[in-house]
Amino acid sequence: LCTFHSKSFDNGVIVISKDKIFLYQPKLLPHQLVSLGFFISRSHRKWKELNLQMCHIGDDGMKILHQCLCGDEANKQELTKLNLSGNRLTEASLNLIGDIICHLQPHTLLLGNNNITNLKNISTAVTATCTVKVLHMYNNNITSQDAVAISDMLTCLEELNINNNKLGDHGAELISKGIT
């Protein structure tokens, strides 16, 4: 296990182990994300876990990450856990996240603390593969309009966290119908 502290990552923590990459609050700049992506896609390791929590990659960074994980030259990964919580992701990233779900088929997908709405693409990918068993989407902008998409995913999920969203009574009612 190696731990590195780097001023260029704004005093964030980087941990790389045999099969895990953990970055916490490094505020990755685009060129740093490209370097990380190059490292992930070109290494001969099969990464099981990629944690980019609070890296502030945004939708532009998500495009870079998608290319590194799913592009033609990417080393096919075996990710079981992908944490993209707190990255300022919006609806613009959902097609890419859906593609990552279909391509890598992670077991755990953590998307809390973003600005995500309109879950149709996520729902389609989750139900198509049924490999995502844990999905966290707390503190986003999910509304009652997303309740049907959430309800559709329930047959595949073992754990769902949608706390602190804007579902309202109508959305909660629609989701509860999917549980029964």
Side-chain angles (χ1 to χ4, degrees):
L1 181 69
C2 301
T3 303
F4 303 97
H5 299 276
S6 173
K7 217 172 198 183
S8 65
F9 286 144
D10 201 17
N11 295 322
V13 177
I14 303 170
V15 179
I16 300 175
S17 69
K18 178 182 171 189
D19 58 1
K20 297 176 184 174
I21 299 175
F22 176 85
L23 284 82
Y24 185 72
Q25 274 191 325
K27 295 182 183 176
L28 286 174
L29 298 173
H31 73 278
Q32 293 167 325
L33 189 57
V34 168
S35 296
L36 174 66
F38 184 82
F39 174 72
I40 291 169
S41 64
R42 299 292 194 268
S43 71
H44 296 289
R45 293 184 187 182
K46 296 294 183 185
W47 301 104
K48 299 282 184 195
E49 185 173 334
L50 178 58
N51 185 330
L52 298 177
Q53 181 179 4
M54 302 283 297
C55 289
H56 307 279
I57 65 171
D59 295 326
D60 289 337
M62 192 65 222
K63 292 174 189 172
I64 296 168
L65 182 63
H66 174 267
Q67 183 63 33
C68 297
L69 294 175
C70 301
D72 293 337
E73 297 183 25
N75 180 10
K76 176 81 166 143
Q77 295 300 317
E78 299 172 357
L79 284 179
T80 56
K81 183 175 183 180
L82 179 59
N83 188 344
L84 297 171
S85 298
N87 274 294
R88 300 179 182 157
L89 301 177
T90 69
E91 185 178 344
S93 290
L94 294 185
N95 282 340
L96 301 173
I97 294 170
D99 194 36
I100 288 171
I101 292 169
C102 291
H103 188 77
L104 299 178
Q105 300 183 353
H107 175 274
T108 302
L109 181 60
L110 308 177
L111 297 171
N113 289 320
N114 282 297
N115 192 22
I116 294 174
T117 59
N118 191 358
L119 301 180
K120 183 178 178 186
N121 292 324
I122 295 281
S123 177
T124 300
V126 167
T127 56
T129 63
C130 263
T131 56
V132 176
K133 300 298 179 191
V134 177
L135 179 61
H136 288 194
M137 299 195 70
Y138 55 87
N139 291 334
N140 278 287
N141 284 319
I142 299 169
T143 67
S144 61
Q145 294 175 359
D146 297 309
V148 172
I150 292 169
S151 183
D152 290 345
M153 291 187 283
L154 292 176
T155 57
C156 296
L157 298 174
E158 295 172 6
E159 179 181 321
L160 173 66
N161 183 341
I162 51 174
N163 289 330
N164 298 322
N165 280 291
K166 302 171 184 174
L167 289 167
D169 292 340
H170 180 66
E173 183 179 316
L174 288 171
I175 293 169
S176 67
K177 286 181 182 176
I179 294 172
T180 57

